[in-house]
Amino acid sequence: MRRFSTTTIAQARKLRFESLKDIKLRAPILPTHKNFDVSPDHPLWQFFPNGNESLAYRPASELDATSRSWTMSELRHKSFDDLHKLWYVNLKERNILAKEMWLLKSIEQVNMGQYDELDAKLVLNQKRIKQVLLERQTSYERVKTLDTEVKEYLEDFEQQYLNANEQELLEMNDKLVRLQYAIFGIQPTLSDIQEVNEDLVNGIGYVGRLKSQRYVTENPDCGLELPLKGIVEELPFLFKQPSEAVEEVLALREQQTPMLPKPEIFEYLTNVLEDLKASEIEQDQ
């Protein structure tokens, strides 16, 4: 080994550059993702706001500074699938921000305020989504374990709803959305309902009777005589404003729409839901 090392060193000493001026240096290659051949469909591009067309990070001027966090009231009207998607949209944006903030830490005199503010909005969204899901889970478990109290609870809620003043009514309507989901399984959006069953029919009847009674009490000259006649007249109160629902019911009565027998109710609701879903697909296209 000693002989080999000595020989190698001796040979290296013989190497000499005749003229350093003849050595040409290439321009340095700037580090960028464009130096690499990466598939535009690579999943890691999702850590960049504009995919493979993105820079390493966005300047603060390009960040969203005008939007606000979702309110609890807005989130309570979302279906479980919508909340699930919204959670991952927020998570994805937070991952993008985390990558950008990590890169910016190495740059001096960079104001991180806007990055922190946007991240705080996203964190608040996620906290509120968890709170809404917790409310639904609590309501669901309570209903399933305390079936004997459901009837009393519905009767008590009915009295509160009918006697609420205008300011209290806004909160009661939010509670009604949660109640109809927790007890009857009615999604905030009708087109999200996957199954027509007895609970759905009972829930539509409860909500229809509740809203119609409240509206007729406040507007005795509206021309609507109670009680409502079956599912066809109760359904409009579930997804329309009470005034619009009353007009539809009055129109149905002018047309002398017959009251559906119980065996035909499920088929009627199934057709209504299919029409709603088809209408939403057309609007999206």
Side-chain angles (χ1 to χ4, degrees), residues 1 17 67 74 78 100 128 159 166 175 186 243:
M1 287 295 295
F17 293 107
S67 64
E74 291 169 336
K78 296 293 182 182
E100 292 175 328
R128 288 176 174 172
Q159 293 304 315
E166 290 299 323
K175 288 184 178 180
I186 300 176
S243 58

Side-chain angles (χ1 to χ4, degrees), residues 225-282:
E225 294 183 5
L226 298 177
L228 298 174
K229 299 176 182 178
I231 195 73
V232 177
E233 293 187 358
E234 293 164 349
L235 185 59
F237 286 92
L238 187 63
F239 61 95
K240 292 186 177 182
Q241 294 296 322
S243 58
E244 297 175 347
V246 168
E247 291 180 3
E248 184 168 334
V249 171
L250 292 175
L252 289 171
R253 290 184 179 181
E254 286 183 2
Q255 299 169 9
Q256 297 182 347
T257 302
M259 184 173 178
L260 290 177
K262 192 169 183 178
E264 296 181 13
I265 290 177
F266 281 21
E267 182 180 357
Y268 170 75
L269 287 177
T270 300
N271 292 334
V272 169
L273 295 178
E274 289 178 353
D275 291 342
L276 283 173
K277 292 177 182 178
S279 177
E280 286 188 356
I281 293 174
E282 290 180 0

Side-chain angles (χ1 to χ4, degrees), residues 31-44:
T32 172
H33 66 272
K34 294 183 178 179
N35 296 338
F36 305 94
D37 185 16
V38 181
S39 170
D41 298 328
H42 196 286
L44 286 179

Side-chain angles (χ1 to χ4, degrees), residues 200-242:
L200 176 63
V201 175
N202 293 335
I204 293 173
Y206 179 80
V207 175
R209 291 190 299 271
L210 196 62
K211 289 187 175 181
S212 62
Q213 188 174 345
R214 167 92 191 195
Y215 186 82
V216 170
T217 302
E218 293 179 341
N219 304 273
D221 298 329
C222 67
L224 179 64
E225 294 183 5
L226 298 177
L228 298 174
K229 299 176 182 178
I231 195 73
V232 177
E233 293 187 358
E234 293 164 349
L235 185 59
F237 286 92
L238 187 63
F239 61 95
K240 292 186 177 182
Q241 294 296 322

Side-chain angles (χ1 to χ4, degrees), residues 140-152:
Y140 177 80
E141 290 176 354
R142 184 176 186 277
V143 169
K144 290 300 182 182
T145 57
L146 302 174
D147 287 339
T148 56
E149 298 182 9
V150 171
K151 184 177 180 181
E152 294 179 3

Side-chain angles (χ1 to χ4, degrees), residues 145-192:
T145 57
L146 302 174
D147 287 339
T148 56
E149 298 182 9
V150 171
K151 184 177 180 181
E152 294 179 3
Y153 177 78
L154 291 176
E155 291 175 352
D156 181 61
F157 182 87
E158 181 176 351
Q159 293 304 315
Q160 293 181 41
Y161 188 90
L162 296 176
N163 297 324
N165 58 41
E166 290 299 323
Q167 185 174 358
E168 294 171 338
L169 186 61
L170 296 175
E171 183 178 355
M172 293 301 293
N173 278 324
D174 285 339
K175 288 184 178 180
L176 181 58
V177 172
R178 300 197 296 275
L179 178 150
Q180 68 190 35
Y181 178 79
I183 297 180
F184 302 110
I186 300 176
Q187 298 278 4
T189 304
L190 274 184
S191 58
D192 291 331

Side-chain angles (χ1 to χ4, degrees), residues 41-79:
D41 298 328
H42 196 286
L44 286 179
W45 281 122
Q46 295 191 46
F47 284 91
F48 295 81
N50 298 316
N52 64 335
E53 300 296 328
S54 303
L55 299 176
Y57 59 86
R58 294 167 293 181
S61 59
E62 293 184 9
L63 296 180
D64 181 6
T66 59
S67 64
R68 58 169 176 80
S69 299
W70 288 79
T71 65
M72 292 288 289
S73 178
E74 291 169 336
L75 292 173
R76 287 182 182 123
H77 286 78
K78 296 293 182 182
S79 67

